[in-house]
Coordinates of all heavy atoms in Angstrom, one line a residue:
M98 N 152.8 -123.2 -161.2 CA 151.9 -122.2 -160.7 C 151.4 -122.9 -159.4 O 150.8 -123.8 -159.2 CB 150.9 -121.9 -161.7 CG 150.4 -120.4 -161.4 SD 149.3 -120.0 -162.8 CE 147.7 -120.2 -162.1
S99 N 151.7 -122.1 -158.2 CA 151.1 -122.5 -156.9 C 149.9 -121.9 -156.7 O 149.9 -120.8 -156.1 CB 152.2 -122.4 -155.9 OG 152.3 -120.9 -155.7
T100 N 148.8 -122.6 -157.0 CA 147.5 -122.0 -156.8 C 146.7 -122.4 -155.6 O 145.8 -121.7 -155.1 CB 146.7 -122.3 -158.0 OG1 146.5 -123.7 -158.1 CG2 147.3 -121.7 -159.3
V101 N 147.1 -123.5 -155.1 CA 146.3 -124.2 -154.1 C 146.2 -123.4 -152.8 O 145.2 -123.3 -152.3 CB 146.9 -125.6 -153.8 CG1 145.9 -126.3 -152.7 CG2 146.8 -126.4 -155.1
A102 N 147.4 -122.9 -152.4 CA 147.5 -122.3 -151.1 C 146.6 -121.0 -151.0 O 146.1 -120.7 -150.0 CB 148.9 -122.0 -150.8
R103 N 146.4 -120.5 -152.3 CA 145.6 -119.2 -152.2 C 144.1 -119.5 -152.6 O 143.3 -118.5 -152.7 CB 146.3 -118.3 -153.1 CG 147.6 -117.8 -152.7 CD 148.3 -116.9 -153.7 NE 147.7 -115.8 -153.8 CZ 148.0 -114.8 -154.9 NH1 148.6 -115.3 -155.9 NH2 147.5 -113.7 -155.1
D104 N 143.8 -120.7 -152.9 CA 142.4 -121.0 -153.1 C 141.6 -120.9 -151.8 O 142.2 -120.8 -150.7 CB 142.3 -122.3 -153.8 CG 141.0 -122.4 -154.7 OD1 140.2 -121.5 -154.5 OD2 141.0 -123.4 -155.4
L105 N 140.3 -121.1 -152.0 CA 139.4 -121.1 -150.9 C 139.7 -122.3 -149.9 O 140.3 -123.3 -150.4 CB 138.0 -121.2 -151.2 CG 137.3 -120.0 -151.8 CD1 135.9 -120.4 -152.2 CD2 137.3 -118.9 -150.9
P106 N 139.5 -122.2 -148.6 CA 139.7 -123.2 -147.7 C 138.6 -124.3 -148.2 O 137.5 -123.9 -148.7 CB 139.3 -122.8 -146.4 CG 139.4 -121.2 -146.4 CD 139.3 -120.8 -148.0
R107 N 138.8 -125.5 -147.9 CA 137.7 -126.6 -148.2 C 136.5 -126.4 -147.4 O 136.5 -126.1 -146.2 CB 138.3 -128.0 -148.1 CG 139.3 -128.4 -148.9 CD 139.8 -129.8 -148.8 NE 138.7 -130.6 -149.2 CZ 138.5 -130.9 -150.4 NH1 139.2 -130.4 -151.4 NH2 137.5 -131.7 -150.7
I108 N 135.3 -126.5 -148.1 CA 134.1 -126.2 -147.5 C 133.8 -126.9 -146.2 O 133.3 -126.5 -145.3 CB 132.9 -126.2 -148.5 CG1 131.6 -125.6 -147.7 CG2 132.7 -127.6 -149.0 CD1 130.5 -125.3 -148.8
E109 N 134.3 -128.2 -146.1 CA 133.9 -129.0 -145.1 C 134.8 -128.7 -143.8 O 134.5 -129.1 -142.8 CB 134.1 -130.5 -145.4 CG 135.3 -130.9 -145.9 CD 135.6 -130.9 -147.5 OE1 134.8 -130.1 -148.0 OE2 136.4 -131.5 -148.1
T110 N 135.8 -127.8 -144.1 CA 136.5 -127.3 -143.0 C 136.0 -126.0 -142.3 O 136.5 -125.5 -141.3 CB 138.1 -127.1 -143.2 OG1 138.0 -125.9 -144.2 CG2 138.6 -128.3 -144.0
L111 N 134.9 -125.4 -143.0 CA 134.4 -124.2 -142.5 C 133.2 -124.4 -141.5 O 132.5 -125.4 -141.7 CB 133.9 -123.4 -143.8 CG 135.1 -123.1 -144.8 CD1 134.6 -122.4 -145.9 CD2 136.2 -122.3 -144.1
S112 N 133.0 -123.3 -140.8 CA 131.9 -123.3 -139.9 C 130.6 -123.0 -140.8 O 130.7 -122.6 -141.9 CB 132.0 -122.2 -138.9 OG 131.8 -121.0 -139.5
Q113 N 129.4 -123.3 -140.1 CA 128.1 -123.0 -140.9 C 128.1 -121.6 -141.2 O 127.6 -121.2 -142.3 CB 127.0 -123.3 -139.9 CG 126.7 -124.7 -139.7 CD 125.5 -125.3 -140.3 OE1 124.6 -124.7 -140.2 NE2 125.6 -126.5 -140.8
S114 N 128.5 -120.7 -140.2 CA 128.5 -119.3 -140.7 C 129.3 -118.9 -141.7 O 129.0 -118.1 -142.6 CB 128.9 -118.5 -139.4 OG 128.1 -118.7 -138.3
Q115 N 130.5 -119.5 -141.9 CA 131.3 -119.2 -143.0 C 130.7 -119.9 -144.4 O 130.9 -119.1 -145.4 CB 132.8 -119.8 -142.7 CG 133.5 -119.1 -141.8 CD 134.8 -119.9 -141.5 OE1 134.8 -121.1 -141.2 NE2 136.0 -119.2 -141.4
Q116 N 130.1 -120.9 -144.3 CA 129.5 -121.6 -145.3 C 128.4 -120.7 -145.9 O 128.1 -120.6 -147.1 CB 129.1 -122.9 -145.2 CG 130.1 -123.9 -144.8 CD 129.7 -125.3 -144.5 OE1 128.4 -125.6 -144.7 NE2 130.6 -126.2 -144.0
R117 N 127.6 -120.0 -145.0 CA 126.5 -119.1 -145.4 C 127.0 -117.6 -145.8 O 126.1 -116.9 -146.1 CB 125.6 -119.1 -144.2 CG 124.8 -120.3 -143.9 CD 123.4 -120.2 -143.3 NE 123.6 -119.1 -142.2 CZ 123.7 -119.4 -141.0 NH1 123.9 -120.5 -140.4 NH2 123.8 -118.5 -140.1
G118 N 128.3 -117.4 -145.7 CA 128.8 -116.1 -145.9 C 128.5 -115.1 -144.9 O 128.7 -113.9 -145.2
V119 N 128.2 -115.6 -143.7 CA 128.1 -114.7 -142.6 C 129.5 -114.2 -142.0 O 129.7 -113.2 -141.7 CB 127.2 -115.3 -141.5 CG1 127.1 -114.4 -140.3 CG2 125.9 -115.6 -142.0
D120 N 130.4 -115.2 -141.9 CA 131.7 -115.0 -141.4 C 132.7 -115.1 -142.7 O 132.5 -115.8 -143.5 CB 132.1 -116.0 -140.4 CG 131.3 -115.9 -139.2 OD1 130.6 -114.9 -139.0 OD2 131.3 -116.8 -138.4
C121 N 133.8 -114.4 -142.5 CA 134.9 -114.5 -143.5 C 135.4 -115.9 -143.6 O 135.7 -116.7 -142.5 CB 136.0 -113.6 -143.1 SG 137.6 -113.6 -144.1
V122 N 135.6 -116.4 -144.9 CA 135.9 -117.8 -145.1 C 137.4 -117.9 -144.8 O 137.8 -119.1 -144.5 CB 135.7 -118.2 -146.6 CG1 134.3 -118.5 -146.9 CG2 136.5 -117.3 -147.6
F123 N 138.2 -117.0 -144.7 CA 139.6 -116.9 -144.4 C 139.9 -116.9 -142.9 O 140.8 -117.6 -142.4 CB 140.4 -116.0 -145.2 CG 140.3 -116.2 -146.7 CD1 139.7 -115.3 -147.4 CD2 140.8 -117.4 -147.2 CE1 139.5 -115.4 -148.9 CE2 140.7 -117.5 -148.6 CZ 140.1 -116.6 -149.4
C124 N 139.4 -115.9 -142.3 CA 139.8 -115.6 -140.8 C 138.7 -115.8 -140.0 O 138.8 -115.8 -138.7 CB 140.4 -114.2 -140.7 SG 139.4 -112.9 -141.1
G125 N 137.4 -116.0 -140.5 CA 136.3 -116.3 -139.5 C 135.6 -115.1 -138.7 O 134.8 -115.2 -138.0
I126 N 136.0 -113.9 -139.1 CA 135.6 -112.7 -138.6 C 134.1 -112.4 -139.1 O 133.7 -112.9 -140.2 CB 136.4 -111.4 -138.8 CG1 136.2 -110.4 -138.0 CG2 136.2 -111.0 -140.3 CD1 137.1 -109.1 -138.2
T127 N 133.2 -112.1 -138.2 CA 131.8 -111.8 -138.7 C 131.8 -110.5 -139.6 O 132.4 -109.5 -139.3 CB 131.0 -111.7 -137.5 OG1 130.9 -112.8 -136.7 CG2 129.4 -111.5 -138.0
L128 N 131.2 -110.8 -140.7 CA 131.1 -109.7 -141.7 C 129.9 -108.8 -141.6 O 128.9 -109.2 -141.0 CB 131.1 -110.3 -143.2 CG 132.1 -111.3 -143.5 CD1 131.9 -112.1 -144.7 CD2 133.4 -110.5 -143.8
T129 N 130.2 -107.5 -142.0 CA 129.1 -106.6 -142.1 C 128.9 -106.2 -143.6 O 129.8 -106.4 -144.3 CB 129.4 -105.3 -141.3 OG1 130.4 -104.5 -142.0 CG2 129.9 -105.6 -139.9
P130 N 127.8 -105.6 -144.0 CA 127.6 -105.4 -145.4 C 128.8 -104.4 -145.9 O 129.0 -104.4 -147.1 CB 126.2 -104.6 -145.4 CG 125.6 -105.2 -144.2 CD 126.6 -105.5 -143.2
R131 N 129.2 -103.7 -144.9 CA 130.3 -102.7 -145.3 C 131.6 -103.4 -145.6 O 132.5 -102.9 -146.5 CB 130.4 -101.6 -144.3 CG 130.5 -100.1 -144.9 CD 130.1 -99.1 -143.7 NE 130.6 -99.5 -142.5 CZ 131.8 -99.0 -142.1 NH1 132.4 -98.1 -142.8 NH2 132.2 -99.1 -140.9
T132 N 132.0 -104.3 -144.9 CA 133.3 -105.1 -145.0 C 133.3 -106.3 -145.8 O 134.4 -106.8 -146.2 CB 133.9 -105.4 -143.6 OG1 132.9 -106.4 -143.0 CG2 133.9 -104.2 -142.6
A133 N 132.2 -106.9 -146.2 CA 132.1 -108.1 -146.9 C 132.5 -107.9 -148.4 O 132.2 -106.9 -149.1 CB 130.7 -108.6 -146.8
V134 N 133.4 -109.0 -148.8 CA 133.8 -109.0 -150.3 C 133.2 -110.2 -150.7 O 133.5 -111.3 -150.3 CB 135.3 -109.1 -150.4 CG1 135.8 -109.2 -151.8 CG2 136.0 -107.7 -149.8
D135 N 132.4 -110.1 -151.8 CA 131.8 -111.3 -152.4 C 132.8 -112.0 -153.3 O 133.4 -111.4 -154.1 CB 130.6 -110.8 -153.3 CG 129.4 -111.8 -153.4 OD1 129.8 -113.0 -153.3 OD2 128.2 -111.4 -153.3
L136 N 133.0 -113.2 -153.1 CA 133.8 -114.0 -153.8 C 133.3 -114.8 -155.0 O 133.9 -115.6 -155.7 CB 134.7 -115.0 -153.0 CG 135.4 -114.3 -151.8 CD1 136.1 -115.4 -150.9 CD2 136.4 -113.3 -152.3
G137 N 132.0 -114.6 -155.1 CA 131.3 -115.1 -156.2 C 130.8 -116.7 -155.9 O 131.4 -117.2 -155.1
P138 N 129.9 -117.1 -156.8 CA 129.4 -118.4 -156.5 C 130.5 -119.5 -156.8 O 131.1 -119.4 -157.7 CB 128.2 -118.5 -157.4 CG 128.4 -117.5 -158.5 CD 129.3 -116.5 -157.8
R139 N 130.4 -120.5 -156.0 CA 131.4 -121.6 -156.2 C 130.5 -122.9 -156.4 O 129.6 -123.2 -155.6 CB 132.3 -121.8 -154.9 CG 133.0 -120.5 -154.6 CD 134.1 -120.2 -155.4 NE 135.1 -121.3 -155.3 CZ 136.4 -121.2 -155.7 NH1 136.8 -119.9 -156.3 NH2 137.3 -122.1 -155.5
R140 N 131.0 -123.6 -157.3 CA 130.3 -125.1 -157.5 C 130.6 -125.9 -156.4 O 131.8 -126.0 -155.9 CB 130.8 -125.6 -158.8 CG 130.0 -124.9 -160.0 CD 130.1 -125.7 -161.2 NE 129.9 -124.8 -162.2 CZ 130.6 -124.6 -163.3 NH1 131.6 -125.5 -163.5 NH2 130.3 -123.7 -164.3
L141 N 129.6 -126.8 -155.9 CA 129.8 -127.7 -154.9 C 129.1 -128.8 -155.4 O 127.9 -128.9 -155.7 CB 129.3 -127.1 -153.5 CG 129.3 -128.0 -152.3 CD1 130.7 -128.2 -152.0 CD2 128.5 -127.4 -151.2
R142 N 129.7 -130.1 -155.2 CA 129.1 -131.3 -155.6 C 128.8 -132.0 -154.4 O 129.6 -132.5 -153.5 CB 129.9 -132.1 -156.6 CG 129.2 -133.3 -157.1 CD 130.2 -134.1 -158.1 NE 130.6 -133.3 -159.2 CZ 130.0 -133.2 -160.3 NH1 128.8 -134.0 -160.5 NH2 130.3 -132.5 -161.4
I143 N 127.4 -132.4 -154.1 CA 127.1 -133.1 -152.9 C 126.2 -134.3 -153.4 O 125.2 -134.1 -154.0 CB 126.2 -132.2 -151.9 CG1 126.9 -131.0 -151.5 CG2 125.8 -133.1 -150.8 CD1 126.1 -130.1 -150.7
L144 N 126.7 -135.5 -153.2 CA 125.9 -136.7 -153.5 C 125.4 -136.7 -155.0 O 124.3 -137.0 -155.3 CB 124.7 -136.9 -152.5 CG 125.2 -137.0 -151.0 CD1 123.9 -137.1 -150.2 CD2 126.0 -138.2 -150.8
G145 N 126.4 -136.2 -155.9 CA 126.1 -136.2 -157.3 C 125.3 -135.0 -157.7 O 125.0 -134.9 -158.9
H146 N 124.8 -134.2 -156.9 CA 124.0 -133.0 -157.2 C 125.0 -131.8 -157.2 O 125.9 -131.6 -156.2 CB 123.0 -132.7 -156.2 CG 121.8 -133.7 -156.3 ND1 120.9 -133.6 -157.2 CD2 121.7 -134.7 -155.5 CE1 120.0 -134.6 -157.0 NE2 120.4 -135.4 -156.0
V147 N 124.9 -131.0 -158.2 CA 125.7 -129.8 -158.2 C 125.0 -128.6 -157.6 O 123.8 -128.2 -158.3 CB 126.3 -129.4 -159.6 CG1 127.1 -128.1 -159.6 CG2 127.1 -130.6 -160.1
T148 N 125.4 -128.0 -156.7 CA 124.9 -126.8 -156.1 C 125.9 -125.6 -156.1 O 127.0 -125.8 -156.4 CB 124.2 -127.1 -154.7 OG1 123.6 -125.9 -154.2 CG2 125.3 -127.6 -153.8
H149 N 125.5 -124.4 -155.4 CA 126.4 -123.4 -155.3 C 126.5 -122.9 -153.9 O 125.5 -123.0 -153.3 CB 126.0 -122.2 -156.3 CG 126.2 -122.5 -157.7 ND1 125.4 -123.2 -158.5 CD2 127.4 -122.4 -158.5 CE1 125.8 -123.3 -159.8 NE2 126.9 -122.8 -159.7
W150 N 127.7 -122.4 -153.5 CA 127.6 -121.6 -152.3 C 128.3 -120.4 -152.5 O 128.9 -120.1 -153.6 CB 128.3 -122.4 -151.2 CG 129.8 -122.7 -151.3 CD1 130.3 -123.7 -152.3 CD2 130.8 -122.4 -150.6 NE1 131.7 -123.6 -152.2 CE2 132.1 -123.0 -151.2 CE3 130.9 -121.5 -149.3 CZ2 133.4 -122.7 -150.5 CZ3 132.2 -121.4 -148.9 CH2 133.3 -122.0 -149.3
Y151 N 128.1 -119.4 -151.7 CA 128.6 -118.0 -151.9 C 129.4 -117.5 -150.8 O 129.0 -116.8 -149.9 CB 127.3 -117.2 -152.0 CG 126.4 -117.6 -153.2 CD1 125.4 -118.6 -152.9 CD2 126.5 -117.1 -154.4 CE1 124.6 -119.1 -153.9 CE2 125.6 -117.5 -155.5 CZ 124.7 -118.4 -155.1 OH 123.9 -118.8 -156.2
P152 N 130.7 -117.9 -150.9 CA 131.7 -117.6 -149.9 C 131.9 -116.0 -149.9 O 131.8 -115.4 -150.9 CB 133.0 -118.2 -150.3 CG 132.9 -118.4 -151.8 CD 131.4 -118.7 -152.0
R153 N 132.1 -115.4 -148.8 CA 132.5 -114.0 -148.6 C 133.6 -113.8 -147.6 O 133.9 -114.6 -146.9 CB 131.2 -113.2 -148.0 CG 130.0 -113.3 -149.0 CD 129.1 -112.1 -148.8 NE 128.5 -112.2 -147.5 CZ 127.9 -111.1 -146.9 NH1 127.5 -110.1 -147.7 NH2 127.4 -111.1 -145.7
A154 N 134.3 -112.8 -148.0 CA 135.7 -112.5 -147.2 C 135.5 -111.1 -146.6 O 134.7 -110.2 -147.0 CB 136.9 -112.7 -147.9
C155 N 136.3 -110.8 -145.6 CA 136.4 -109.4 -145.1 C 137.4 -108.8 -145.9 O 138.2 -109.4 -146.9 CB 136.9 -109.5 -143.6 SG 138.6 -110.0 -143.4
G156 N 137.7 -107.4 -145.8 CA 138.5 -106.7 -146.7 C 139.9 -106.8 -146.5 O 140.7 -106.2 -147.1
H157 N 140.4 -107.9 -145.7 CA 141.8 -108.0 -145.3 C 142.4 -108.9 -146.2 O 143.7 -109.2 -146.1 CB 141.9 -108.4 -143.9 CG 141.5 -107.4 -142.9 ND1 140.7 -107.8 -141.9 CD2 141.7 -106.2 -142.8 CE1 140.5 -106.7 -141.1 NE2 141.0 -105.6 -141.6
H158 N 141.7 -109.4 -147.3 CA 142.3 -110.4 -148.2 C 142.1 -109.9 -149.7 O 141.6 -110.7 -150.5 CB 141.7 -111.8 -148.0 CG 141.5 -112.1 -146.5 ND1 142.5 -112.6 -145.8 CD2 140.5 -112.1 -145.7 CE1 142.0 -112.8 -144.6 NE2 140.7 -112.5 -144.5
P159 N 142.5 -108.7 -150.0 CA 142.3 -108.2 -151.3 C 143.0 -108.9 -152.4 O 142.5 -109.1 -153.5 CB 142.8 -106.8 -151.3 CG 143.8 -106.7 -150.2 CD 143.4 -107.7 -149.2
V160 N 144.2 -109.4 -152.1 CA 145.0 -110.1 -153.1 C 144.1 -111.5 -153.4 O 144.0 -111.9 -154.5 CB 146.4 -110.5 -152.7 CG1 147.1 -111.5 -153.6 CG2 147.2 -109.2 -152.4
M161 N 143.8 -112.1 -152.4 CA 143.0 -113.4 -152.5 C 141.7 -113.1 -153.4 O 141.2 -113.8 -154.1 CB 142.7 -114.0 -151.3 CG 143.8 -114.7 -150.7 SD 143.3 -115.5 -149.2 CE 144.8 -116.5 -149.0
A162 N 141.1 -111.9 -153.1 CA 139.9 -111.6 -153.8 C 140.0 -111.5 -155.2 O 139.3 -112.1 -156.0 CB 139.3 -110.4 -153.2
E163 N 141.1 -110.8 -155.6 CA 141.4 -110.7 -157.0 C 141.6 -112.1 -157.7 O 141.1 -112.4 -158.7 CB 142.7 -109.9 -157.3 CG 142.5 -108.5 -157.5 CD 141.8 -108.0 -158.7 OE1 141.5 -108.9 -159.6 OE2 141.6 -106.8 -158.8
Y164 N 142.4 -112.9 -157.0 CA 142.7 -114.1 -157.4 C 141.5 -115.1 -157.6 O 141.3 -115.8 -158.6 CB 143.8 -114.8 -156.5 CG 144.2 -116.2 -157.0 CD1 145.0 -116.3 -158.0 CD2 143.9 -117.3 -156.3 CE1 145.4 -117.5 -158.6 CE2 144.2 -118.5 -156.7 CZ 144.9 -118.7 -157.8 OH 145.3 -120.0 -158.2
L165 N 140.7 -115.0 -156.5 CA 139.5 -115.8 -156.6 C 138.5 -115.4 -157.7 O 137.8 -116.1 -158.3 CB 138.8 -115.8 -155.1 CG 139.5 -116.5 -154.1 CD1 139.1 -116.1 -152.7 CD2 139.5 -118.0 -154.3
A166 N 138.5 -114.1 -157.9 CA 137.6 -113.5 -158.9 C 138.1 -114.3 -160.4 O 137.3 -114.7 -161.2 CB 137.7 -112.1 -159.2
L167 N 139.4 -114.5 -160.4 CA 140.0 -115.0 -161.7 C 139.5 -116.6 -161.8 O 139.1 -117.0 -162.8 CB 141.5 -114.9 -161.7 CG 142.1 -115.8 -162.8 CD1 141.9 -115.3 -164.1 CD2 143.6 -115.6 -162.5
I168 N 139.6 -117.2 -160.7 CA 139.2 -118.6 -160.6 C 137.8 -118.6 -160.9 O 137.4 -119.6 -161.7 CB 139.4 -119.2 -159.3 CG1 140.8 -119.0 -158.7 CG2 138.9 -120.7 -159.0 CD1 141.5 -120.2 -158.8
V169 N 137.0 -117.9 -160.4 CA 135.5 -118.0 -160.5 C 135.2 -117.7 -162.0 O 134.4 -118.4 -162.7 CB 134.7 -116.9 -159.7 CG1 133.3 -116.9 -160.2 CG2 134.7 -117.4 -158.3
H170 N 135.9 -116.8 -162.5 CA 135.7 -116.4 -164.0 C 136.1 -117.6 -164.8 O 135.3 -117.9 -165.8 CB 136.5 -115.1 -164.3 CG 136.5 -114.8 -165.7 ND1 135.5 -114.2 -166.4 CD2 137.4 -115.1 -166.7 CE1 135.7 -114.1 -167.7 NE2 136.9 -114.7 -168.0
T171 N 137.2 -118.0 -164.8 CA 137.7 -119.2 -165.6 C 137.0 -120.4 -165.6 O 136.9 -121.1 -166.5 CB 139.3 -119.5 -165.3 OG1 139.4 -119.9 -164.0 CG2 140.2 -118.3 -165.6
Q172 N 136.2 -120.6 -164.4 CA 135.4 -121.7 -164.4 C 134.2 -121.7 -165.4 O 133.8 -122.7 -165.7 CB 134.8 -121.8 -162.9 CG 135.6 -122.6 -161.9 CD 134.9 -122.6 -160.6 OE1 133.9 -122.1 -160.3 NE2 135.5 -123.5 -159.7
D173 N 133.7 -120.5 -165.6 CA 132.4 -120.4 -166.4 C 132.9 -119.8 -167.8 O 131.9 -119.5 -168.7 CB 131.6 -119.5 -165.7 CG 130.9 -120.2 -164.6 OD1 130.6 -121.4 -164.7 OD2 130.7 -119.6 -163.5
C174 N 134.0 -119.3 -168.1 CA 134.4 -118.8 -169.4 C 134.9 -119.9 -170.4 O 136.1 -120.3 -170.1 CB 135.4 -117.7 -169.1 SG 135.9 -116.8 -170.5
P175 N 134.3 -120.1 -171.4 CA 134.8 -121.1 -172.3 C 136.0 -120.5 -173.2 O 136.7 -121.4 -173.9 CB 133.5 -121.4 -173.2 CG 132.7 -120.1 -173.2 CD 133.0 -119.5 -171.7
T176 N 136.1 -119.2 -173.3 CA 137.1 -118.8 -174.2 C 138.4 -118.1 -173.5 O 139.3 -117.5 -174.1 CB 136.6 -117.7 -175.0 OG1 136.2 -116.6 -174.3 CG2 135.5 -118.1 -175.9
C177 N 138.5 -118.4 -172.2 CA 139.6 -117.9 -171.4 C 141.0 -118.2 -171.9 O 141.9 -117.3 -171.9 CB 139.5 -118.3 -170.0 SG 139.2 -116.8 -168.9
L178 N 141.2 -119.3 -172.4 CA 142.5 -119.8 -172.7 C 142.8 -119.3 -174.2 O 144.0 -119.3 -174.6 CB 142.7 -121.2 -172.7 CG 142.6 -121.8 -171.3 CD1 142.8 -123.4 -171.3 CD2 143.7 -121.3 -170.4
D179 N 141.8 -118.7 -174.9 CA 142.1 -118.1 -176.2 C 142.1 -116.6 -176.2 O 141.8 -116.1 -177.3 CB 140.9 -118.6 -177.1 CG 140.7 -120.1 -177.1 OD1 141.7 -120.9 -177.1 OD2 139.5 -120.6 -177.2
G180 N 142.5 -116.1 -175.1 CA 142.6 -114.6 -175.1 C 141.4 -113.9 -174.8 O 141.0 -113.0 -175.5
C181 N 140.8 -114.2 -173.7 CA 139.6 -113.4 -173.2 C 140.1 -112.3 -172.4 O 141.0 -112.3 -171.6 CB 138.7 -114.5 -172.3 SG 137.9 -113.5 -171.0
A182 N 139.5 -111.1 -172.7 CA 140.0 -109.7 -172.1 C 139.8 -109.8 -170.7 O 140.6 -109.3 -169.9 CB 139.1 -108.7 -172.7
T183 N 138.7 -110.3 -170.2 CA 138.4 -110.3 -168.7 C 139.6 -111.2 -168.0 O 140.1 -110.8 -166.9 CB 137.0 -110.8 -168.3 OG1 136.2 -110.0 -169.0 CG2 136.9 -110.7 -166.7
G184 N 139.8 -112.3 -168.7 CA 140.8 -113.3 -168.0 C 142.2 -112.6 -168.0 O 142.9 -112.8 -167.0
D185 N 142.5 -111.9 -169.1 CA 143.8 -111.3 -169.1 C 144.0 -110.3 -168.1 O 144.9 -110.2 -167.4 CB 144.0 -110.7 -170.6 CG 144.3 -111.7 -171.7 OD1 144.5 -112.9 -171.3 OD2 144.1 -111.3 -172.9
R186 N 142.8 -109.5 -168.0 CA 143.0 -108.3 -167.0 C 143.1 -109.0 -165.5 O 143.9 -108.5 -164.7 CB 141.6 -107.6 -167.1 CG 141.7 -106.4 -166.0 CD 140.4 -105.6 -166.3 NE 139.2 -106.2 -166.0 CZ 138.7 -106.7 -164.8 NH1 139.5 -106.3 -163.7 NH2 137.7 -107.3 -164.7
L187 N 142.5 -110.1 -165.3 CA 142.4 -110.5 -163.9 C 143.8 -111.3 -163.7 O 144.5 -111.3 -162.6 CB 141.3 -111.6 -163.7 CG 139.9 -111.0 -163.6 CD1 138.9 -112.1 -163.7 CD2 139.9 -110.2 -162.3
R188 N 144.4 -112.0 -164.8 CA 145.6 -112.6 -164.6 C 146.7 -111.6 -164.4 O 147.7 -111.7 -163.6 CB 145.9 -113.4 -165.9 CG 145.4 -114.8 -165.7 CD 145.8 -115.7 -166.9 NE 145.2 -115.4 -168.1 CZ 144.0 -116.0 -168.4 NH1 143.4 -116.9 -167.7 NH2 143.3 -115.7 -169.6
R189 N 146.6 -110.5 -165.1 CA 147.6 -109.3 -164.9 C 147.5 -108.8 -163.5 O 148.6 -108.6 -162.8 CB 147.3 -108.2 -165.9 CG 148.7 -107.5 -166.3 CD 148.2 -106.4 -167.4 NE 147.6 -107.0 -168.7 CZ 146.5 -106.6 -169.2 NH1 145.9 -105.5 -168.7 NH2 146.1 -107.2 -170.2
A190 N 146.3 -108.5 -163.0 CA 146.2 -108.1 -161.6 C 146.8 -109.1 -160.6 O 147.4 -108.7 -159.7 CB 144.8 -107.9 -161.3
D191 N 146.6 -110.4 -161.0 CA 147.3 -111.3 -160.0 C 148.8 -111.4 -160.0 O 149.4 -111.5 -159.1 CB 146.8 -112.8 -160.5 CG 147.2 -113.9 -159.5 OD1 146.9 -113.8 -158.3 OD2 147.7 -114.9 -160.1
R192 N 149.3 -111.2 -161.2 CA 150.7 -111.2 -161.3 C 151.3 -109.9 -160.6 O 152.4 -109.9 -159.9 CB 151.3 -111.0 -162.8 CG 151.4 -112.4 -163.4 CD 152.3 -112.3 -164.6 NE 151.8 -111.5 -165.7 CZ 150.7 -112.0 -166.5 NH1 150.4 -113.2 -166.5 NH2 150.3 -111.2 -167.4
E193 N 150.5 -108.7 -160.8 CA 150.9 -107.4 -160.1 C 151.0 -107.8 -158.5 O 151.9 -107.3 -157.9 CB 149.9 -106.3 -160.4 CG 150.0 -106.0 -161.9 CD 151.0 -105.1 -162.3 OE1 151.3 -104.2 -161.6 OE2 151.6 -105.2 -163.4
A194 N 149.9 -108.4 -158.0 CA 149.7 -108.5 -156.6 C 151.0 -109.4 -156.1 O 151.2 -109.5 -154.9 CB 148.4 -109.2 -156.3
R195 N 151.5 -110.2 -156.9 CA 152.6 -111.1 -156.4 C 153.9 -110.5 -156.3 O 154.8 -111.0 -155.7 CB 152.7 -112.4 -157.3 CG 151.8 -113.3 -157.2 CD 151.9 -114.3 -158.3 NE 150.6 -115.0 -158.7 CZ 150.5 -116.4 -158.5 NH1 151.5 -117.1 -158.0 NH2 149.4 -116.9 -158.6
R196 N 154.1 -109.4 -156.9 CA 155.4 -108.7 -156.7 C 155.8 -108.3 -155.3 O 154.9 -108.0 -154.6 CB 155.4 -107.4 -157.7 CG 155.8 -108.0 -159.1 CD 156.2 -106.8 -160.0 NE 155.9 -107.3 -161.4 CZ 155.3 -106.5 -162.3 NH1 154.8 -105.4 -162.1 NH2 155.1 -107.0 -163.4
Ligands
ZN19 ZN1 139.1 -112.3 -143.2
ZN20 ZN1 137.5 -115.4 -169.7

């Protein structure tokens, strides 16, 4: 499974505005409340402390948004590999999007 290319860019490669969710993390366009897609909180480890950041994207990356929703979900879902309904739905959506 090639997941890396469709994951988020590494946070240290992003601008301050992208890290704060002001600009799209993928293309750098400035977001408005109407165009922003919330990609969910992401864990970030800084000097041994775990914190979160809240990446957002513009509406031009819907496939990635679905895929990222899956990533975010599986990070926090303990039963995903045992047939979780939400995980199944997201995985199906991701497969559809690849066709
Ligand atoms: Zn974008
Ligand atoms: Zn799950």
Side-chain angles (χ1 to χ4, degrees):
M98 208 164 101
S99 65
T100 57
V101 177
R103 294 170 73 197
D104 204 349
L105 285 180
R107 296 186 63 78
I108 189 167
E109 56 271 20
T110 68
L111 300 174
S112 73
Q113 290 250 320
S114 302
Q115 285 173 313
Q116 292 177 13
R117 293 206 316 267
V119 177
D120 293 348
C121 172
V122 289
F123 296 114
C124 65
I126 199 173
T127 298
L128 299 165
T129 70
R131 226 154 48 91
T132 60
V134 177
D135 208 328
L136 300 178
R139 308 282 296 199
R140 282 195 201 129
L141 177 67
R142 191 179 292 272
I143 303 174
L144 303 173
H146 293 279
V147 176
T148 180
H149 289 89
W150 63 297
Y151 300 86
R153 298 202 301 171
C155 69
H157 296 133
H158 318 280
V160 174
M161 284 184 169
E163 272 290 0
Y164 179 70
L165 289 165
L167 173 62
I168 302 257
V169 169
H170 171 81
T171 52
Q172 274 184 348
D173 289 319
C174 179
T176 61
C177 240
L178 295 177
D179 305 322
C181 151
T183 304
D185 283 349
R186 183 174 58 75
L187 290 169
R188 272 187 285 272
R189 206 173 307 128
D191 181 52
R192 270 200 301 278
E193 300 279 316
R195 280 170 205 250
R196 273 191 206 137

